[in-house]
Amino acid sequence: MRISKVTRAKLLYHHFVFFSLVNMSCFSDLRGKLIHEERFEKEIGSKYGIVPGSRDNSLYNALWVAQALLRKGSAKTADKRILLLTNEDDPFGNLKGVIKVDMMRTTMQRAKDAQDLGITIELLPLSRPDDEFNVSLFYADLLGLEGDDLAQFKALIGERFEDLNDQLRKRMFKKRRVRRLRLVIFNGLSIELNTYALIRPTNPGTITWLDSMTNLPLKTERTFICADTAAIVQEPLKRFQSYKNENVIFSVDELSEVKRVSTGHLRLLGFKPLSCLKDYHNLKPATFVFPSDEEVVGSTCLFVALHRSMLRLKRFAVAFYGNSSHPQLVALVAQDEVMTPSGQVEPPGMHLIYLPYSDDIRHVEELHTDPNSVPHATDDQIKKASALVRRIDLKDFSVWQFANPALQRHYAVLQALALDEDEMPEIKDETLPDEEGMARPGIVKALEEFKLSVYGENYKEEDSDIEGKAAPTRKRKANAIKEYGNYEWADLADNGKLKDMTVVELKYYLGAHDLPVSGKKEALISRILTHMGK
């Protein structure tokens, strides 16, 4: 795509515009022009912004180009945004008189036209080292910010950049339906539903086998060979069942039809109070369902009526669902829409919860036959435990705060291989205990009071070492001391032969000297050499 001289002229060095469009590719044509800073400044950007005495309006031109690029596609199926990054809070500050008023008016109108087309304009202000960015000079009117909205925008400027940085490093998944279902209410009346997966753990990509010579993906094929003639069987496979000394032949399709229990649709059975649905009935992640009118017209209207009635009467629907291999009962629980000043938090719809079979629910076994012998916590122990829990409670906890360290290491290895890096990026394991935080005086005091209340004053931690790892039992320690005498440890250390020993053999030395035995082989060798003073 070639850009005309008008759109190329002075789009900005400090007026920096990004165009974002979900599910569309119009940004890809400009992407190649933003590779090198020198080329960007020469062909698109400007170091001088809006020059006094000139009628060139670089901000107007930038909004005009963005609107032209985002013109394709409906706002109902695509999210269109213009991200404006600038450190100039008053782009028309160098102008005066009628020229300034006219350029501000045309720029405001261009921004309004873009917003009327469903294009969102977002400002990311960059403060100068010696001056704070003043949104009220120009951009508050451009974005329509006033009152509480303006105050809230100023307070969240720093968080917006942090969120943008997190999104750039986060693997984004497109919201797409898992499958399409049909809820059959009774004969002749049904609702079309789209199902969506909720939060799921992210797994590494699947392994693709490649040819060692051509490096092309391998295609796996399977054929059946006759045991008598060694010829390839071309006819479809058949099964048989012995009945009265005779083999009854079934084709694969006939056998599948015999085993068919459900058609794959949801069949409504009835309704029950929400109090009948327990937490332990949810054995696996639920699925979110939402109506669709693509094939069954009127599904949304009927779904809304059913949804409102279930919320009002506090009922959930019981339906039969499944395939021939795993038929089961499910519960459809209505969820009301939750809105906040910042937008929608939870959408309206229903959760499809997979109910367990009767043998999936196991009753709690009685550990003590005598009820009087069951230990009970005292009021003081409950009080100390509650105080400890309050001390170490995570405020505003979210699953997004912790990344999977194994998955992060996997992607770090892929990044190092793809970029031919000599060193792998350091991975921070956020799941490890916060030792510095746990060492705060308030937490230490609460922990000591809890231990004193439960174990008493005479309790001694004899089975723990300096690193908090479980020490070996007496039997294992005696065995380590016995095996320890079979090796010349000083000679092995001096000759560098410790690395040739197995982990089990290295643990003989550590166990005999009451040293921690956890860690990889390199850590065990380092611990031995440190203890020997080498």
Side-chain angles (χ1 to χ4, degrees):
M1 176 184 296
R2 296 187 60 84
I3 304 177
S4 63
K5 294 182 179 180
V6 176
T7 58
R8 263 196 270 132
K10 303 172 183 167
L11 270 184
L12 37 125
Y13 176 73
H14 46 264
H15 290 246
F16 194 163
V17 179
F18 283 100
F19 315 117
S20 172
L21 179 61
V22 177
N23 297 334
M24 299 189 70
S25 60
C26 54
F27 178 59
S28 60
D29 297 325
L30 275 181
R31 190 176 182 181
K33 293 185 177 293
L34 303 179
I35 298 177
H36 302 292
E37 183 178 354
E38 294 181 358
R39 187 177 180 186
F40 175 78
E41 294 177 4
K42 179 180 178 182
E43 298 186 4
I44 299 178
S46 171
K47 293 185 178 181
Y48 307 104
I50 299 174
V51 181
S54 174
R55 300 292 296 184
D56 289 338
N57 189 343
S58 58
L59 182 57
Y60 176 90
N61 294 335
L63 295 176
W64 180 66
V65 172
Q67 180 178 337
L69 291 173
L70 302 180
R71 185 177 301 168
K72 298 180 181 179
S74 173
K76 297 180 180 180
T77 59
D79 181 20
K80 305 179 181 182
R81 295 183 304 163
I82 299 176
L83 301 184
L84 178 60
L85 289 87
T86 176
N87 63 353
E88 182 61 66
D89 51 9
D90 189 6
F92 303 99
N94 296 330
L95 305 179
K96 296 180 181 179
V98 180
I99 296 178
K100 179 177 181 180
V101 175
D102 182 62
M103 295 182 71
M104 290 180 63
R105 180 185 57 80
T106 54
T107 305
M108 295 285 188
Q109 185 61 41
R110 174 57 63 184
K112 185 178 182 301
D113 294 341
Q115 293 170 349
D116 292 340
L117 294 176
I119 301 175
T120 304
I121 301 177
E122 298 184 12
L123 174 66
L124 296 176
L126 305 174
S127 298
R128 296 177 178 177
D130 55 346
D131 191 11
E132 184 178 357
F133 194 95
N134 189 355
V135 185
S136 303
L137 291 179
F138 173 74
Y139 288 102
D141 296 333
L142 181 74
L143 303 177
L145 300 175
E146 56 183 9
D148 296 338
D149 295 337
L150 180 59
Q152 186 178 9
F153 178 85
K154 294 180 178 179
L156 299 179
I157 289 178
E159 296 182 6
R160 291 170 62 86
F161 279 101
E162 295 179 1
D163 294 340
L164 181 61
N165 185 37
D166 294 339
Q167 292 178 11
L168 292 175
R169 298 185 60 87
K170 187 185 298 182
R171 185 180 179 185
M172 305 300 292
F173 293 91
K174 183 174 63 174
K175 295 180 182 179
R176 59 182 181 271
R177 68 186 180 199
V178 177
R179 61 173 303 181
R180 181 180 297 164
L181 293 177
R182 184 168 295 184
L183 174 60
V184 180
I185 300 179
F186 59 86
N187 294 334
L189 182 62
S190 60
I191 302 176
E192 182 185 358
L193 301 174
N194 289 334
T195 62
Y196 301 89
L198 300 177
I199 296 179
R200 297 288 191 274
T202 304
N203 300 317
T206 58
I207 297 176
T208 302
W209 296 100
L210 303 177
D211 185 81
S212 59
M213 301 297 293
T214 62
N215 204 34
L216 296 176
L218 295 177
K219 182 180 179 180
T220 304
E221 295 181 354
R222 183 179 64 172
T223 56
F224 292 91
I225 300 176
C226 179
D228 298 330
T229 63
I232 298 178
V233 179
Q234 301 291 347
E235 299 179 359
L237 298 178
K238 293 185 178 182
R239 304 288 189 270
F240 70 90
Q241 176 65 36
S242 298
Y243 180 74
K244 292 184 178 182
N245 299 326
E246 185 178 354
N247 292 333
V248 181
I249 305 298
F250 294 94
S251 66
V252 177
D253 295 336
E254 291 173 343
L255 196 60
S256 300
E257 191 65 27
V258 171
K259 292 182 177 180
R260 185 184 299 276
V261 180
S262 172
T263 59
H265 298 314
L266 280 170
R267 184 171 294 276
L268 182 64
L269 301 179
F271 300 89
K272 300 194 64 140
L274 284 174
S275 58
C276 297
L277 189 63
K278 307 301 181 182
D279 293 339
Y280 54 82
H281 289 164
N282 192 3
L283 296 183
K284 67 177 184 178
T287 303
F288 188 77
V289 297
F290 201 77
S292 174
D293 290 335
E294 292 184 17
E295 294 184 358
V296 181
V297 180
S299 296
T300 302
C301 183
L302 187 56
F303 182 87
V304 170
L306 183 63
H307 178 268
R308 291 177 178 175
S309 299
M310 292 170 62
L311 288 175
R312 186 180 73 255
L313 300 176
K314 297 182 179 179
R315 296 287 193 273
F316 71 92
V318 181
F320 182 77
Y321 171 68
N323 49 34
S324 58
S325 61
H326 191 68
Q328 62 185 137
L329 296 179
V330 296
L332 290 171
V333 182
Q335 171 181 282
D336 199 3
E337 184 179 23
V338 178
M339 296 290 295
T340 62
S342 58
Q344 187 186 69
V345 178
E346 294 181 357
M350 292 187 187
H351 291 279
L352 191 146
I353 299 176
Y354 303 92
L355 298 178
Y357 293 95
S358 59
D359 55 355
D360 288 332
I361 302 177
R362 298 173 177 83
H363 298 285
V364 179
E365 299 178 357
E366 295 292 340
L367 301 178
H368 304 275
T369 57
D370 185 8
N372 297 324
S373 63
V374 179
H376 293 279
T378 63
D379 294 339
D380 182 67
Q381 292 174 350
I382 296 176
K383 181 180 178 181
K384 301 300 183 184
S386 300
L388 176 60
V389 170
R390 286 194 299 269
R391 281 287 185 179
I392 61 177
D393 183 32
L394 297 177
K395 305 299 182 183
D396 300 327
F397 171 77
S398 174
V399 294
W400 306 109
Q401 297 175 358
F402 302 95
N404 185 348
L407 193 63
Q408 296 298 319
R409 178 177 175 81
H410 170 76
Y411 286 123
V413 171
L414 292 182
Q415 175 182 327
L417 292 175
L419 301 180
D420 196 17
E421 297 177 346
D422 296 334
E423 297 182 359
M424 191 181 69
E426 183 180 356
I427 304 302
K428 181 180 179 181
D429 190 351
E430 299 175 342
T431 62
L432 295 177
D434 183 10
E435 298 181 359
E436 182 179 354
M438 296 294 290
R440 293 199 297 266
I443 297 180
V444 173
K445 181 181 178 181
L447 182 60
E448 292 297 331
E449 291 179 351
F450 172 73
K451 291 166 57 178
L452 180 64
S453 176
V454 174
Y455 299 106
E457 298 180 355
N458 299 324
Y459 174 75
K460 296 182 180 180
E461 299 181 5
E462 297 179 354
D463 296 333
S464 61
D465 55 32
I466 56 175
E467 291 191 8
K469 303 293 182 181
T473 61
R474 296 180 180 179
K475 184 177 181 180
R476 282 189 294 170
K477 183 176 180 179
N479 181 59
I481 295 176
K482 178 182 178 181
E483 297 291 341
Y484 167 80
N486 298 330
Y487 300 90
E488 296 293 337
W489 296 99
D491 295 341
L492 293 172
D494 293 337
N495 297 328
K497 295 184 177 181
L498 289 178
K499 65 178 181 299
D500 299 331
M501 303 179 67
T502 64
V503 175
V504 176
E505 293 173 334
L506 294 174
K507 289 183 177 180
Y508 293 151
Y509 183 96
L510 298 173
H513 294 85
D514 294 331
L515 296 174
V517 296
S518 61
K520 296 183 179 180
K521 186 176 181 179
E522 293 78 5
L524 302 183
I525 296 175
S526 176
R527 201 172 296 153
I528 293 174
L529 295 176
T530 302
H531 182 264
M532 298 176 66
K534 296 183 179 295

